């Protein structure tokens, strides 16, 4: 399984735009508009707030001077917490779009990354949910230990989408039913699958995954409005 976030130099968190692990340009739309794949978000059934989250880059493609945009996240609902909150009740759903990539060199040119797969989307979605989760029973000193442990578990689960940790859920993508692998925990839910041209993941809390539908985003301006 290739996880761009670990092997390709990007950081899979629920923060602002990230390209190659560095702060993105002042205009958050720039990395999204430079992608060579379509972006997906919740379909028109979602009438709430939409917002940009981050776009992540991996290794440059052959002949390219800059790292390619390999994945990105679009948020729906309330923004996930970015700092400790004893009782975080925010409701959100985040859609992760991952480019289909063949095996390629790592960002630091020291190794080879596997081709992206639905497991890549599952890992990015799982790690995104972890980044948005602040267990109230843990203090800051213990949070990193918890995060390391849960990240390892999320990695193992993402690498075994056919295993018992996942169930099957059919959801519409551009109006057509598409199978996804789905799991729940006390912190929220994660799902992963495929869509035309890309791999698709999502995570959320307080918003039902069973009622979700996905669609290509014709105009990213909908995600920049207050």
């Amino acid at each position: 399984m290739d996880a761009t976030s670990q092997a390709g130099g990007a950081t899979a968190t629920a923060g602002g735009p990230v390209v190659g692990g560095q702060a993105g340009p002042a205009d958050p739309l720039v990395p999204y508009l430079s992608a060579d794949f379509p972006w997906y978000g919740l379909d028109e059934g979602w009438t709430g707030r939409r917002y940009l989250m981050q776009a992540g880059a991996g290794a440059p493609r052959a002949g390219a001077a800059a790292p390619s945009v390999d994945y990105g996240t679009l948020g729906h609902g309330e923004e996930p917490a970015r700092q400790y909150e004893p009782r975080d009740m925010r409701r959100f759903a985040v859609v992760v779009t991952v480019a289909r990539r063949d095996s390629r060199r790592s960002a630091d040119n020291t190794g080879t990354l596997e081709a992206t797969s639905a497991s890549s989307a599952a890992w990015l979605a799982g790690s995104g949910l972890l980044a948005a989760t602040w267990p109230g029973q843990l203090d800051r000193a213990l949070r990193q230990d918890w995060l390391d442990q849960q990240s390892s578990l999320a990695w193992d689960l993402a690498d075994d989408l056919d295993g018992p940790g996942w169930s099957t859920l059919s959801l519409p993508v551009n109006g057509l039913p598409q199978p996804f692998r789905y799991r729940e925990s006390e912190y929220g839910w994660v799902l992963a699958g495929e869509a035309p041209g890309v791999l698709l993941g999502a995570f959320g809390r307080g918003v039902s995954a069973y009622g979700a539908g996905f669609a290509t985003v014709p105009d990213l301006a909908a995600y920049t409005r207050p």
Side-chain angles (χ1 to χ4, degrees):
M1 176 186 69
D2 163 45
T4 303
S5 60
Q6 288 203 350
T11 302
T13 67
V18 173
V19 178
Q22 301 297 322
D27 184 351
L29 267 177
V30 170
Y32 288 89
L33 295 177
S34 66
D36 62 351
F37 54 88
W39 293 104
Y40 281 76
L42 294 185
D43 63 17
E44 61 185 10
W46 176 262
T47 59
R49 183 187 174 211
R50 299 172 183 258
Y51 50 92
L52 301 176
M53 293 187 70
Q54 74 172 35
R61 295 191 299 278
S68 61
V69 173
D70 278 349
Y71 77 93
T73 48
L74 296 174
H76 308 78
E78 298 172 284
E79 292 193 50
R82 299 185 185 181
Q83 59 185 4
Y84 176 80
E85 294 187 9
R87 186 170 175 78
D88 185 6
M89 302 298 290
R90 298 175 191 229
R91 301 172 64 252
F92 58 84
V94 176
V95 179
V96 184
T97 306
V98 183
R100 293 181 183 269
R101 302 286 190 221
D102 296 328
S103 59
R104 62 215 188 277
R105 301 296 294 178
S106 61
D108 58 8
N109 206 36
T110 60
T112 301
L113 302 180
E114 298 175 7
T116 53
S117 67
S119 290
S120 308
W123 159 246
L124 288 167
S127 60
L129 180 61
L130 289 176
T133 301
W134 295 82
Q137 71 272 23
L138 297 182
D139 60 27
R140 289 179 181 272
L142 295 177
R143 174 165 164 75
Q144 188 59 51
D145 290 340
W146 175 88
L147 187 60
D148 291 343
Q149 180 187 56
Q150 294 298 313
S151 295
S152 179
L153 176 60
W155 179 269
D156 290 341
L157 284 166
D159 209 20
D160 186 21
L161 290 180
D162 293 324
W166 300 87
S167 59
T168 301
L169 182 62
S170 180
L171 296 172
V173 177
N174 291 331
L176 299 176
Q178 182 72 26
F180 287 88
R181 304 302 288 173
Y182 171 80
R183 67 180 178 88
E184 290 183 2
S185 73
E186 61 183 298
Y187 308 114
W189 52 264
V190 172
L191 59 79
E194 300 186 13
V198 300
L199 304 157
L200 206 58
F203 64 92
R205 184 174 63 225
V207 174
S208 174
Y210 290 88
F214 304 99
T216 51
V217 178
D219 184 4
L220 284 167
Y223 286 84
T224 64
R225 300 186 186 108

